[in-house]
């Protein structure tokens, strides 16, 4: 089995990006097969438990209060309402439930409320993930004690590009929270966004930081920018789709044992592009018709795509031990017919 290294140099990461496409994909797919079932994909469902009104100025984000995007600010949902959504996600086939909140950094009383929500969702038998902004060490401990499995906190882009995208916090703030999360014994979910006008060198820079953290993130979400009107990044030149595949492939080679998530942006991708991403090493997706505030492919469409590719949904991740039982997906399911896909009726 290919070894898991944390001593990559940035030049080595750039050299991977520059490989001929077929050589890069062959190397990535071999790394993928050495560490994972190549036909199994972990599925997470996202819910925005506290929406909009965020004081940060992340240029990509529809939830920043200062961006006029039409997102209505809503306060933290009740535990009962979140549990109802988590139960529905589980019934639809998700194994992990990710709860997102548009906070810069939650107050201790917010964390206490989220801890209650986490315990209730965990009791359904789902893996739990939360993304709440910057945390203190004590707050991370509180969430761990409540049964939280994963904390999502993205580095989002290369250190040298960060200041062009976000002005209200520093790259180092993100690294500090990740340290608190690791120290609490939580699993980390950490990745970034591509298609924000960064260079290839900067995409390599983001992956280089991720692959040289004190431990590789358990999950690495690779988001393609969802361009939302009213955000400063709306109108950015879209990334070449094959460059997106390269980014997935390089992430897979650098962090071979991690789950690489084909994250935001799938609604704008063809099935064929997603298939190439799965071949390049993506083995996790967000499943369900909504991300936080923007759309995601229809569940029926994803089930049909899985059937066409012979993919199975994983019940839990395989990154840390035994494979888990597979969920049933009916391979006779037709596509929804309601979406614009080329395979619907
Ligand atoms: N406020 C918390 C934070 O920033 O960590 C948690 C929620 S925030 C919405 C979670 C992540 O969503 C961001 O780090 C970013 O990677 C991703 N995200 C936000 N807007 C996006 C967009 N328009 N396209 C792609 N990813 C986006
Ligand atoms: C991640 O890396 N991507 C997700 C999740 N972690 C929280 C969020 C994507 C958000 C896309 C824009 C929206 O729906 O508001
Ligand atoms: Fe706030 Fe998170 Fe959006 Fe940044 S990405 S504006 S911190 S919700």
């Amino acid at each position: 089995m290919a070894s898991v290294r944390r001593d990559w140099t940035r030049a080595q990461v750039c050299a991977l990006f520059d490989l001929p496409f077929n050589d890069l994909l062959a190397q990535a797919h071999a790394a993928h097969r050495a560490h994972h079932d190549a036909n199994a994909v972990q599925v997470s469902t996202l819910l925005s438990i506290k929406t909009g009104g965020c004081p940060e100025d992340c240029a990509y984000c529809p939830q920043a209060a200062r961006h006029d995007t039409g997102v209505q600010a809503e306060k933290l949902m009740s535990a009962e309402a979140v549990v109802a959504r988590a139960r529905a996600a589980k019934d639809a086939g998700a194994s992990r439930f990710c709860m997102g909140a548009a906070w810069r950094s939650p107050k201790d009383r917010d964390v206490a409320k989220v801890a209650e929500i986490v315990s209730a969702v965990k009791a359904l038998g789902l893996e739990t993930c939360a993304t709440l902004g910057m945390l203190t060490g004590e707050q991370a401990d509180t969430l761990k004690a409540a049964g939280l499995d994963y904390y999502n906190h993205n580095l989002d882009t290369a250190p040298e590009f960060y200041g062009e995208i976000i002005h209200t916090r520093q790259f180092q703030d993100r690294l500090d929270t990740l340290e608190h999360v690791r120290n609490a014994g939580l699993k980390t979910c950490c990745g970034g966004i591509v298609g924000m006008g960064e260079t290839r060198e900067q995409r390599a820079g983001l992956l280089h930081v991720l692959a040289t953290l004190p431990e590789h993130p358990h999950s690495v979400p690779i988001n393609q920018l969802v361009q939302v009107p009213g955000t400063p990044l709306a109108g950015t030149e879209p990334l070449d789709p094959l460059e997106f595949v390269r980014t997935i492939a390089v992430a897979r080679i650098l962090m071979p044992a991690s789950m690489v998530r084909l994250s935001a942006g799938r609604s704008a991708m063809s099935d064929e592009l997603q298939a190439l991403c799965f071949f390049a090493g993506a083995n996790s997706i967000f499943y369900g018709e909504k991300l936080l505030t923007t759309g995601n492919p229809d569940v029926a469409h994803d089930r049909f795509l899985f059937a066409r590719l012979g993919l199975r949904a994983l019940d839990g991740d395989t990154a840390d031990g035994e494979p888990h039982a597979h969920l049933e997906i009916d391979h006779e399911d037709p596509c929804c017919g309601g979406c614009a896909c080329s395979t619907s009726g």
Side-chain angles (χ1 to χ4, degrees):
M1 187 178 282
S3 65
V4 175
R5 295 173 44 192
R6 290 183 26 261
D7 61 352
W8 298 97
T9 65
R10 188 156 164 159
Q12 287 172 329
V13 181
C14 289
L16 286 171
F17 265 97
D18 291 343
L19 282 172
F21 190 75
N22 287 343
D23 291 347
L24 174 60
L25 258 64
Q27 197 176 322
H29 191 69
H32 189 38
R33 280 188 180 267
H35 288 266
H36 303 274
D37 177 340
N39 302 307
V41 174
Q42 185 273 330
V43 294
S44 295
T45 291
L46 252 182
L47 177 67
S48 181
I49 61 170
K50 188 270 167 194
T51 304
C54 185
E56 300 267 31
D57 75 346
C58 312
Y60 46 80
C61 188
Q63 300 198 70
R66 63 192 82 191
H67 302 156
D68 187 9
T69 59
V71 169
Q72 292 293 321
E74 291 167 25
K75 59 182 181 16
L76 182 63
M77 288 171 70
S78 70
E80 297 70 39
V82 177
V83 165
R85 299 290 292 271
R87 193 174 284 120
K90 188 179 180 202
D91 291 346
S95 61
R96 193 181 306 167
F97 194 65
C98 304
M99 294 160 274
W103 282 315
R104 176 172 202 271
S105 46
K107 299 187 176 71
D108 287 346
R109 66 167 185 271
D110 297 325
V111 171
K113 287 186 201 157
V114 174
E116 265 178 50
I117 293 174
V118 165
S119 300
V121 171
K122 180 96 173 156
L124 298 176
L126 281 160
E127 291 183 320
T128 53
C129 177
T131 180
L132 316 171
M134 295 181 279
L135 294 184
T136 64
E138 293 71 30
Q139 290 176 332
D141 291 341
T142 302
L143 292 168
K144 171 70 181 173
L148 188 69
D149 297 301
Y150 290 82
Y151 196 75
N152 165 249
H153 201 63
N154 291 337
L155 291 177
D156 282 321
T157 194
E160 71 274 20
F161 193 54
Y162 203 79
E164 290 186 41
I165 300 295
I166 301 154
H167 310 95
T168 49
R169 59 169 188 261
Q170 310 284 314
F171 194 78
Q172 185 60 43
D173 294 326
R174 299 303 266 189
L175 294 173
D176 292 346
T177 290
L178 287 169
E179 188 179 352
H180 299 151
V181 166
R182 281 192 307 270
N183 290 345
L186 290 162
K187 295 184 200 173
T188 53
C189 169
C190 183
I193 310 178
V194 296
M196 299 196 292
E198 75 285 344
T199 61
R200 174 180 277 187
E201 162 92 29
Q202 289 164 340
R203 283 185 285 282
L206 165 67
L207 295 186
H208 176 246
V209 178
L210 292 171
T212 55
L213 286 169
E215 68 180 31
H216 286 172
H218 291 78
S219 290
V220 181
I222 305 293
N223 296 278
Q224 173 169 277
L225 175 69
V226 179
Q227 297 201 15
V228 179
T231 60
L233 292 185
T236 304
E237 178 75 23
L239 188 68
D240 172 0
L242 296 181
E243 184 69 13
F244 185 83
V245 180
R246 280 184 186 271
T247 309
I248 296 276
V250 175
R252 169 50 68 220
I253 293 166
L254 297 178
M255 295 167 279
S258 302
M259 305 300 282
V260 174
R261 184 172 304 131
L262 176 52
S263 194
R266 285 198 303 120
S267 288
M269 295 177 195
S270 69
D271 289 352
E272 294 78 8
L273 174 58
Q274 293 183 63
L276 210 42
C277 291
F278 292 129
F279 185 81
N283 61 350
S284 171
I285 58 165
F286 283 122
Y287 180 65
E289 271 112 41
K290 206 167 172 199
L291 293 168
L292 293 172
T293 65
T294 66
N296 199 42
D298 292 340
V299 161
H301 187 102
D302 276 343
R303 290 167 75 92
F304 189 59
L305 177 60
F306 273 37
R308 288 170 75 205
L309 299 176
L311 294 175
R312 297 183 306 275
L314 264 183
D315 187 7
D317 73 38
T318 55
D320 56 355
E322 293 298 303
H324 299 248
H326 291 133
L327 296 174
E328 287 283 308
I329 285 204
D330 180 356
H331 284 209
E332 298 306 313
D333 262 1
C335 186
C336 46
C339 64
C341 91
S342 57
T343 55
S344 63

